[in-house]
Each structure stands twice: as C-alpha cells, then as structure tokens.
Amino acid sequence: MQFGIFTVGDLTTDPTNNHTPTEHQRLKAMMKYALKAEEVGLDVFATGEHHNPPFVPSSPTTMLGWIAAKTSKIQLTTATTLITTNDPVKIAEDFSILQHLADGRVDLMMGRGNTGPVYPWFGKDIRQGIPMAIENYHLLRRLWREKVVDWEGQFRTPLRGFTLAPAPLDDTPPFVWHGSIRSTEIAEQAAFYGDGFFANNIFWNKEHTEQMINLYRSRFEHYGHGSADQAIVGLGGHVFMQKNSQDAVAKFRPYFDKAPVYGHGPSLEEFTEMTPLTVGSPEQVIERTLSFADYAGHYQRQLFLVDHAGLPEEMVLEQIELLGTEVVPVLRKEFEARRPAHIPSDPPSHASLKAQGENGKHRKVIPVETGKESK
C-alpha cells in the first residue's frame, strides 16, 4: 500500500501571528515538503491544480518536474489535473515529458474542478463539466495510445493527423486516477476504463464515501476488470499530530477555526466526529486510518493533507516527520497483514504497466458518453 501527502497549495494567513507568506515562500515550502516526504520514506507526493487566489499551484507539471530532478524514489502525482479547463492535447504532452524526466515515477488524478469562475477564464462552461470531463478524457487516452489521431468532438477543434511528441515513456501511458467527491458519473468513468478511483473524503462522512466507492467497485467488476474487491481505490485524509492529543487539539484549533474551508462552521470536535479529520497523537492517527478500510474495503493509496490553513513551515515538516517515522511504518505492517492475497497491495506502476506490453492497447473502446466505437 502506498502512503503519501498532498497539498492544495492554499496561501493562508497564520491566525496565531497574522503572518501571510508570499507566493514565492509558499511555493518554496511546498518543494521542501516533497523532499522531506522522500527523506522520511513516504511513497507519494501530490499537488493540486488551481488557477485562482488564494492558491499557488497553477502549473503542477512544472512543480513536479523540479521535484523529479531532486528525488529518486517518490511517486509524483496530481490532486487533481483539471480535465475540463485544460486541453487534453496539452495534458498529454506535459505528462509525457514529465514521465521521461522522472523515469516513469508519474501518475495523475483527473478531476473537474469545483471553482466556478475558473471555467470562463479558459473559455469553458461549468454546466458542461461532466460531459466535458468524459469526452476530454477519452481523447486523452487515444493521444497516449495511438500513433496518429483523427478526432472530432463537441468541446474542442478537430484533430487531423495528430501525433503526440514525445510519446509516453516506453510507450506506456501513466496510470490515471479519477478523483470525485460526489459525481457518480466520474466513478462510472473510472470503472469503465479500469482506472483508479480516488475518494478525497476530507469533507464528507464515511457513509457517503462508502456509497461512492461501492458504486465504483461494482461497476469495475461489471466491466470485466476483476472482482469488486480488486478495484484500485485511493483515499484522502487530513491529520494533525502532536505527541499527545491534548497538545494536538490546542495547537490546531486556531488554524481550524479560521481555515477558509473548515472555519466558521461546525466545531473542531464536531468535524472530527463527522469526517476523517484526525487531530491527536500518532497512535490515534494510526487507529483512525486503519478504520477507513471498514467502509472503503482494502485499498491501495492513502494520501494525507498536512499543510492547509496557514500552518507554519516548521510545523508541517514536523507532521511529515511523524508520518514517516511513527505512523506509516505501522500502517504498512497492519494493512499488509489484513490484505487477502488476491487483492493488489499497490496501484499499477510504470514498471507493471510496461510489463503488460501491448495487451489491450489497440482493442475497440466504446466511449461512455456516446456509445460509438473508435479504434
């Protein structure tokens, strides 16, 4: 099972001292977190994509390319890549190059994006978000798998005789996750292609997350990719730790209360009861995280948010250290001991996908949105 961290790259004032980092400082801090994650033995670093203040990661592949040059082991991914407002051709090119630079240590998570004003900035209509996500991803898959693409759809200009350059590393496209909080159509899409489904359940109760994952698993089996319990699932989570729970709650409360997305609503205690947010000791984080499998089933990737809401750099680095040294080693051992032999322990890697060779690469694919066949 893979463990890592993800960042949404928010630029938030520290409520304890009213310090607001510059955009430059925030970006540099995120790079430190990625390097620290590899140093302490985590498996994955993920960055979000946002094009509006107060967020800074508008170009994920640029960031991940820098990290790739400074690391050698950690898997690099997104949380998420906007399949709606980005051109599929540009996504295909950017991630093919990133694959080469990172020697295959790359996958990506597709998402629609939930910030309404961003859509018209890129000439898109948020009301078309679902069909745009479906059509754009179908095109992206073809760009990564076919030498010459002729294509015509609803949401971009036609392609005639287009060849992607560079091609994916070893002619092996990166593994794709589909991230969704509430859209059943995206869970269906992930299942149709046999891709991964990432339920970033940081805001939702476990019953809702369980329902979404069960839908994906059942449809994964329906489309013939394996049994439902073999479907590739990832979960998000948000943690804040100190050696004892009282210190953790006392230190985190002012950040929670003023957080742009958490604050001014339910109390910290109510929110931790309703959602996977865990504020406490490393032992409490271990216990809570192990319980996720009770409703999500055996899953393959767990990412933690650790740098949200204005937390200072030194505090975030402490969180990553605790994850790598005290939490993740125990989680790895416990999850592995509980995993049945027929269920994958990790999501597909570049090496495993490469080993599959040409199997299925040129089969006919029926797009979810149209039912029309394409070679």
Side-chain angles (χ1 to χ4, degrees), residues 83-84 86-91 93 122-124 131-132 135-140 143 149-160 162:
I83 189 61
T84 48
N86 283 312
D87 181 2
V89 174
K90 194 67 171 72
I91 294 175
E93 292 174 338
F122 291 88
K124 308 299 182 182
M132 200 184 317
E135 180 180 290
N136 284 356
Y137 180 59
H138 181 63
L139 172 57
L140 177 62
L143 293 168
V149 175
D150 292 306
W151 178 89
E152 186 170 346
Q154 181 181 354
F155 297 108
R156 79 173 312 281
T157 54
L159 295 175
R160 297 288 180 261
F162 181 85

Side-chain angles (χ1 to χ4, degrees), residues 177-315:
W177 301 81
H178 298 258
S180 181
I181 297 174
R182 60 187 180 274
S183 300
T184 56
E185 297 92 339
I186 302 304
E188 175 79 13
Q189 184 184 38
F192 177 80
Y193 290 111
D195 295 337
F197 182 68
F198 191 90
N200 194 5
N201 56 332
I202 59 175
F203 301 124
W204 290 81
N205 60 308
K206 64 184 180 181
E207 291 81 8
H208 173 82
T209 301
E210 180 180 21
Q211 187 176 34
M212 290 291 290
I213 291 174
N214 284 345
L215 170 64
Y216 160 69
R217 288 187 182 280
S218 66
R219 300 303 287 171
F220 182 95
E221 182 173 297
H222 169 80
Y223 288 119
H225 301 297
S227 61
D229 59 356
Q230 292 175 318
I232 306 300
V233 172
L235 292 181
H238 189 180
V239 298
F240 183 83
M241 294 173 283
Q242 295 291 286
K243 290 297 184 180
N244 65 73
S245 59
Q246 293 86 354
D247 287 345
V249 170
K251 285 190 176 183
F252 188 68
R253 188 180 300 279
Y255 295 97
F256 176 89
D257 288 345
K258 298 293 184 180
V261 294
Y262 289 151
H264 315 290
S267 69
L268 174 59
E269 287 74 17
E270 291 170 328
F271 204 86
T272 53
E273 175 67 24
M274 293 186 297
T275 77
L277 172 65
T278 308
V279 181
S281 66
E283 292 76 18
Q284 288 172 307
V285 169
I286 291 168
E287 181 180 3
R288 187 78 180 282
T289 304
L290 288 172
S291 75
F292 294 170
D294 295 339
Y295 59 87
H298 298 281
Y299 62 109
Q300 286 72 33
R301 176 176 285 183
Q302 174 67 56
L303 300 183
F304 295 104
L305 177 63
V306 294
D307 69 335
H308 181 57
L311 288 175
E313 184 179 301
E314 62 273 12
M315 199 175 286

